[in-house]
Amino acid sequence: MKFLKKHKGNIIFLALLAIIFFTPIGFQLKVLVNRYINFAPSEITKEEQIKLSNYNWNLTDAKGNDIDFNKYKDKVILINFWATWCPPCVAEMPSFQELYDSYKNEVVFLFVANDKAEKVTSFMKKENYTFPVQFESSATPPELVSSSLPTTFILDKKGNIVMQKKGAANWNSDKVRNLLDRLLKE
């Protein structure tokens, strides 16, 4: 009994850490924290922008249909690499849904999932997300390769990467909307 009284604070601390790291409650807590610390990403300066060397990339959609990235040349494209098990990825999804709802007819949205199709489909249905999800079926263009999830790119109509963000962000910000509006007019 003395041991418990003496180490009560440490035991509570360890229990909280266990909850955070090993339970669904911890996952939701991480998502919530990421949602509140999200900021709008910044545009890359013209001098630092990288252009895609090619559009040779194949994807499949959630129904198994093939998608040839080449068909999106000359379009404004938003590419997000994500997974259902990634708290920062899940945290930024509501802002992506709002952005998609506003720009789905003007901007190409590619939400490339690093997960099993069944798990992604279940997640999308549970969360009521309607944006399209894709899966890689060939090697990613080298300029878009990242070892971090989430990673998001915005490309202009010429294939220049004008915005790149590793980690969660607020994608439904005025900064992103103003950038998309400008890119669509160019």
Side-chain angles (χ1 to χ4, degrees), residues 16-68:
L16 287 173
L17 283 179
I19 288 169
I20 290 170
F21 288 110
F22 302 113
T23 70
I25 294 169
F27 182 86
Q28 291 305 321
L29 182 61
K30 291 176 201 171
V31 168
L32 188 63
V33 168
N34 270 282
R35 247 182 222 149
Y36 285 106
I37 61 171
N38 283 349
F39 299 101
S42 296
E43 186 175 351
I44 300 171
T45 64
K46 284 266 190 215
E47 303 79 45
E48 295 179 337
Q49 290 178 7
I50 298 170
K51 185 173 184 155
L52 284 187
S53 54
N54 68 69
Y55 283 72
N56 298 328
W57 189 27
N58 296 311
L59 303 159
T60 55
D61 66 16
K63 295 176 183 173
N65 300 314
D66 292 329
I67 300 167
D68 183 355

Side-chain angles (χ1 to χ4, degrees), residues 38 88 92 148-152 165-169 171:
N38 283 349
E92 65 183 2
S148 297
L149 289 179
T151 298
T152 305
K165 174 74 170 109
K166 293 179 182 182
W171 292 97

